[in-house]
Amino acid sequence: HQLCEEELAELAQLQEEDDGDDGYEAKRRVAAVAFQEEEAALEELRTLAEAEETEVARLRALVDFEEQLGLPRIEIHDEVLSLGTSEDPLCSVEVKWDDAGHLLLAQPHPSLHLDREATKAVEEDDLGRLLVLVWDRASNQGSKPAE
């Protein structure tokens, strides 16, 4: 809408400059300017798309590297965070966040005895540290969970 108003203003200005011309040349110039603006916007979108593709490739490479290191995958389904690809309840943590993204609840499996650590994770809004402890305890309580 704003572009159309700008084009109309440019057209009016160009028509005044033409002094008696039938307006064809003015319309052509306005159309050429609009075309150049659209081409510039298209080029900007292409540049942004290329940057996004580069970022996706970087993130995929990071995931591959994490898998090579043996780091567990982290998945969240219905407020339950799971480490690894196993269905092992030891590797699950019930989580809740507020609307601003702050951790409200982090509750690992009771047999891991991480109640104090879970409370600290919520107080400090630091889920990462708790997940490391969950993975370590779950790994040491039996066979290492599937990655």
Side-chain angles (χ1 to χ4, degrees):
H1 179 70
Q2 184 179 6
L3 184 59
C4 291
E5 291 176 358
E6 291 172 1
E7 289 174 355
L8 288 174
E10 285 181 78
L11 179 60
Q13 181 182 2
L14 290 172
Q15 283 178 339
E16 288 175 10
E17 293 173 2
D18 279 349
D19 291 333
D21 189 17
D22 64 355
Y24 174 77
E25 187 61 28
K27 289 178 184 178
R28 189 190 66 73
R29 282 189 247 152
V30 169
V33 168
F35 179 76
Q36 289 173 346
E37 289 172 353
E38 289 175 6
E39 284 291 314
L42 184 59
E43 186 58 35
E44 182 180 353
L45 289 174
R46 285 183 183 131
T47 301
L48 290 172
E50 289 174 10
E52 290 298 317
E53 289 173 8
T54 301
E55 180 65 8
V56 167
R58 186 189 71 78
L59 292 172
R60 284 187 179 145
L62 184 60
V63 167
D64 291 344
F65 182 66
E66 289 173 351
E67 287 177 358
Q68 290 173 359
L69 291 175
L71 299 176
R73 285 182 136 342
I74 299 174
E75 296 181 9
I76 301 175
H77 299 286
D78 299 322
E79 297 184 341
V80 175
L81 187 145
S82 300
L83 297 172
T85 57
S86 72
E87 297 293 323
D88 187 350
L90 292 178
C91 294
S92 296
V93 179
E94 183 181 349
V95 291
K96 289 185 184 174
W97 290 273
D98 65 13
D99 292 338
H102 299 288
L103 190 61
L104 296 176
L105 172 74
Q107 188 172 11
H109 195 276
S111 69
L112 298 177
H113 306 290
L114 291 171
D115 296 333
R116 278 184 286 155
E117 291 83 353
T119 300
K120 186 176 180 180
V122 171
E123 289 171 355
E124 296 179 2
D125 199 18
D126 185 7
L127 184 59
R129 182 178 179 280
L130 179 62
L131 295 181
V132 169
L133 295 171
V134 167
W135 183 253
D136 182 59
R137 293 260 175 105
S139 297
N140 291 326
Q141 283 198 8
S143 62
K144 187 174 181 179
E147 297 171 14

